[in-house]
Amino acid sequence: MTAPLPRDVARRLPHAMVRLRARLRTESAPRDTELTWTWPQMAVLSRLAQDGPATISELAVAEHVRPQSMAETVSALLAQGWVVRGSDPKDGRKTPISITEKGGKLISSIPVMRETWLEAAIEEHLSLADRRTLDQAAQIMERLADS
């Protein structure tokens, strides 16, 4: 069996990643909240929980979106009480955004739901050989992302 061409892998991989991401999103959606949320909002909450306060400009750069788009995302998070605006004591022009306790609780629940579903799906649908291959693929994807 010959190795697939890089262009063939490059065409197939994003499609598979999008499909898995969509499924993970469905399986890890907070079902016990009456509030609506979007994937970009969850990405911003995750970033703030992990990296700490950031300005809208910093978040836009980190998430690879326009500042205007990030401002809309942050506005929705502010309205739902998941983040708050702060002030920078060193530079009054900057307005760092911080995650609230409510936002932190929400964001910390998502990986548990995601991993629970994924673990069950892997156990139910994949052979031991498939599990090894998938583990290797995850390692390869991490290397590719860091290249």
Side-chain angles (χ1 to χ4, degrees), residues 44-55 58-59 96-99:
V44 170
L45 283 178
S46 292
R47 183 168 299 282
L48 293 172
Q50 182 177 5
D51 299 340
T55 65
E58 291 166 343
L59 290 169
I97 307 299
S98 300
I99 192 166

Side-chain angles (χ1 to χ4, degrees), residues 56-95:
I56 288 177
S57 296
E58 291 166 343
L59 290 169
V61 168
E63 294 296 323
H64 307 287
V65 299
R66 296 173 319 159
Q68 296 86 349
S69 298
M70 184 54 65
E72 290 176 20
T73 299
V74 169
S75 282
L77 294 172
L78 286 163
Q80 295 174 12
W82 290 340
V83 299
V84 292
R85 282 192 170 100
S87 60
D88 187 328
K90 296 178 185 173
D91 186 345
R93 298 170 294 172
K94 290 185 179 181
T95 307

Side-chain angles (χ1 to χ4, degrees), residues 9-124:
V9 176
R11 288 180 183 148
R12 187 170 183 197
L13 186 59
H15 177 72
M17 291 176 7
V18 166
R19 291 192 64 220
L20 182 57
R21 181 178 175 186
R23 183 64 188 265
L24 287 170
R25 179 180 179 193
T26 299
E27 297 299 331
S28 64
R31 290 168 176 76
D32 61 343
T33 179
E34 72 283 356
L35 304 171
T36 59
W37 62 278
T38 66
W39 202 250
Q41 290 171 351
M42 291 298 108
V44 170
L45 283 178
S46 292
R47 183 168 299 282
L48 293 172
Q50 182 177 5
D51 299 340
T55 65
I56 288 177
S57 296
E58 291 166 343
L59 290 169
V61 168
E63 294 296 323
H64 307 287
V65 299
R66 296 173 319 159
Q68 296 86 349
S69 298
M70 184 54 65
E72 290 176 20
T73 299
V74 169
S75 282
L77 294 172
L78 286 163
Q80 295 174 12
W82 290 340
V83 299
V84 292
R85 282 192 170 100
S87 60
D88 187 328
K90 296 178 185 173
D91 186 345
R93 298 170 294 172
K94 290 185 179 181
T95 307
I97 307 299
S98 300
I99 192 166
T100 62
E101 184 178 338
K102 177 182 173 182
K105 286 179 182 177
L106 173 66
I107 207 66
S108 67
S109 71
I110 291 173
V112 174
M113 290 183 283
R114 181 183 303 144
E115 290 169 15
T116 299
W117 172 80
L118 194 52
E119 180 182 351
I122 288 169
E123 186 171 347
E124 183 177 339

